[in-house]
Each structure stands twice: as C-alpha cells, then as structure tokens.
Amino acid sequence: MFTTATTTSQKILQMFAAILLFAAVIGLILFIAGRFTGKRDRAIAALYLGPTVLMLSVGLLYPGLRTIYQSFLDASLKNFIGFDNYVTILSDPEQLTVLRNTAFWVLVTPFVATGVGLLYAILVDKARMESFAKALIFLPMSISFVAAGVIWKFMYEFRPDQGNIKQIGFVNQLIVWLGGEPQQLLIDSPLNTFLLIAVMVWIQAGFAMTVLSAAIKAIPDDIIEAARLDGVGPWGMFRFVTLPAIRPAVIVVITTIAIGTLKVFDIVQTMTGGRFDTSVIANEFYSQTFRSDNRGLGAALAVVLFILVIPIVVYNIRQLRRSEA
C-alpha cells in the first residue's frame, strides 16, 4: 500500500509514514551521536554527514548523471543518437526561439529588477513611513509565480473593440483611454516575452529593494558625513560612496535573480503555456518531456539549463568569498 498509493487516504498515510521514518532516523542519529560525545569527533562528523551525502547522491547526483545520459538518447530513450539532441537545440528554429527568449529573460530581468529595487531603496531611505513604502513593493514577493501570472494575465486581457464591449484588462483599458485600439498583447512576439518579463521584475524588485536597503543602512555614518563635508552632491554620493559600498550586495542580488530567471516556468506556463513564441528553456523542457513525449530532447534541455546556471553560481560564490576576505 505504501509503495503503490492510489487513493487520497493511502497517499496521506504514505506521507505520515515518511514523516515518522524521517523522525526515527534523525532520532537514531542523535542518539548514536550522544554516545560518542567528546570521544570521536570524526565519527560524529561522519554520522551527521552520512545521511546528507546519501540523500544528495540519491536525490541530486544520480538523477543528474542519469539526465546527462538520457540526453544522448532518442525520444523513447531506447537508441543512442549522440549529440543529435544538442544539434537540434542549436539549429531548430523553434529551439532557437527558446534560446533567444531565455537570453532576453536573463539579460533584462536581473538588471531591471535590481535597478528598480535600488532606486526605490534610495528614495525611501530615512523617509517618512519608510516601512509602509517598503512593504508595498515587497508584497509581490509573498505571491506565488502562478498567482502573479494569473493576476497579470487579467491585466493584459483583451476584448474586441465592438459596440458596448468594455475592456477588463487594465493595460488595454489604459490604451483605450489614451485614444488607441486594444491589442492582443500576449500573442505579439517578441513584445509578449517582455510583457512576461515585466511580471518577474514586479515580483523580484521587492527582493532587490530589501537586500539593497539593508546594505545601504550598513554604510558607516562617518563615511557619509565625510563625503558631505567634502561637498559631494547627491549623484556623487551615489556613484562614489553608496554604490562601491553596496557592490557585493548588488552582485548577490543580480546573480540570485539571474538564477531564478533561468529556471522560470510558472509565469510562462500560466500566462501563455509557451505558445506565441514565448517558451523558455525550463518550460520547453517540461513541454518536450511530458507533452511531446520526447524525453531525450527534454533531458538535453535540462542539461543546457544546468550548464547555464553553473557559471553564475561559481561567480556568486567567488564574489561572496572575496567580500568576506
């Protein structure tokens, strides 16, 4: 029953069994570690690291290696086809559009979201009702990507300009108020991709503002006062004092948003389903694997996504170590 749960009650029992098993294993580890306290540090370290290494191997390392292997197989995962899937990604017009859209997302979202968050953090710093102003821009962070996609899909909603039909989408209603004609915004490429990017910027700007605001407040007051005594203006203060002081935080924010952007799936799937030339690598991986049943190409897309994330993670780690040093 626990291995082939089909009904809701069986799945609930399976969940509780897994929780109890996890608690039992943790309890056993703590009990054994308590017996070695003060005796064998290496034994205790191995006892704690052992389950972690095992879970990482089963849940991360093995699936990763298997995905790499499957990327060299055909759609049915039965025949070895070499690098054909990667050639398809780099030559097929649809896959090139996916790569182009992913590039748009990665090049635009992190910098725009960080810029908006930084500007907002500077404007509201030490202002009246600062906490309330920050809460307003941070609120989208509490919304899931799916919910944000649904909200903005209504914002972009289109109704034909006929008779008494009124627009229910705010963006198209604004266009009508300005004397224009309503547009089917989510089907015009590449405009639709940038409209989806705007949703991600709306969500991530709050994260950028929070981190950068904390970094700005951590700048020593004596440095700020010395700059003011030297006659440094607002722009000079930002360029020569604020920005250099918060540079590590800016890099962390940009790289973190970039990694999240590379993995974006929910917004695209909710708003367009990847249609109208809006698909990105994460969404295409899902579509090829589960809709088109081309598991070989889906695995290759997953590997490409992994390869693209690695340089950003490595750069982020190096910057963190440099800032700590």
Side-chain angles (χ1 to χ4, degrees), residues 68-244:
I68 294 173
Y69 169 71
Q70 290 178 345
S71 69
F72 297 105
L73 304 180
D74 63 359
S76 61
L77 300 183
K78 294 180 179 179
N79 302 310
F80 182 81
I81 59 173
F83 289 92
D84 286 0
N85 288 321
Y86 295 98
V87 172
T88 300
I89 294 174
L90 297 175
S91 61
D92 183 73
E94 292 185 3
Q95 299 304 319
L96 289 176
T97 300
V98 170
L99 295 178
R100 181 204 67 182
N101 293 339
T102 304
F104 284 158
W105 277 83
V106 175
L107 294 175
V108 174
T109 307
F111 295 99
V112 175
T114 303
V116 171
L118 177 58
L119 178 62
Y120 197 86
I122 293 174
L123 292 177
V124 302
D125 186 47
K126 299 179 181 179
R128 185 178 298 179
M129 299 182 68
E130 178 183 353
S131 299
F132 177 74
K134 289 181 177 178
L136 289 179
I137 195 173
F138 187 77
L139 277 176
M141 282 291 297
S142 63
I143 303 174
S144 68
F145 284 2
V146 173
V150 172
I151 292 171
W152 280 87
K153 190 173 183 179
F154 279 112
M155 292 282 286
Y156 296 141
E157 187 63 40
F158 165 81
R159 288 289 184 271
D161 189 16
Q162 299 175 354
N164 295 325
I165 297 179
K166 295 182 178 181
Q167 301 297 321
I168 64 172
F170 175 76
V171 176
N172 266 312
Q173 184 59 61
L174 184 62
I175 293 174
V176 171
W177 284 338
L178 295 175
E181 296 290 332
Q183 306 291 325
Q184 298 190 46
L185 299 170
L186 293 179
I187 69 172
D188 294 331
S189 178
L191 173 64
N192 48 12
T193 295
F194 290 98
L195 294 177
L196 299 186
I197 290 174
V199 181
M200 190 69 165
V201 171
W202 179 68
I203 296 173
Q204 295 294 337
F207 164 73
M209 178 274 302
T210 303
V211 176
L212 297 177
S213 177
I216 290 172
K217 291 185 177 299
I219 300 175
D221 292 335
D222 54 349
I223 296 178
I224 298 175
E225 291 299 327
R228 288 176 177 170
L229 291 175
D230 289 340
V232 177
W235 170 248
M237 182 71 71
F238 170 77
R239 182 180 177 183
F240 299 110
V241 178
T242 303
L243 193 56

Side-chain angles (χ1 to χ4, degrees), residues 6 9 120 135 143 194 200 251 275 320 324:
T6 55
S9 58
Y120 197 86
I143 303 174
F194 290 98
M200 190 69 165
I251 292 175
R275 299 186 300 273
L320 285 174
E324 289 175 356

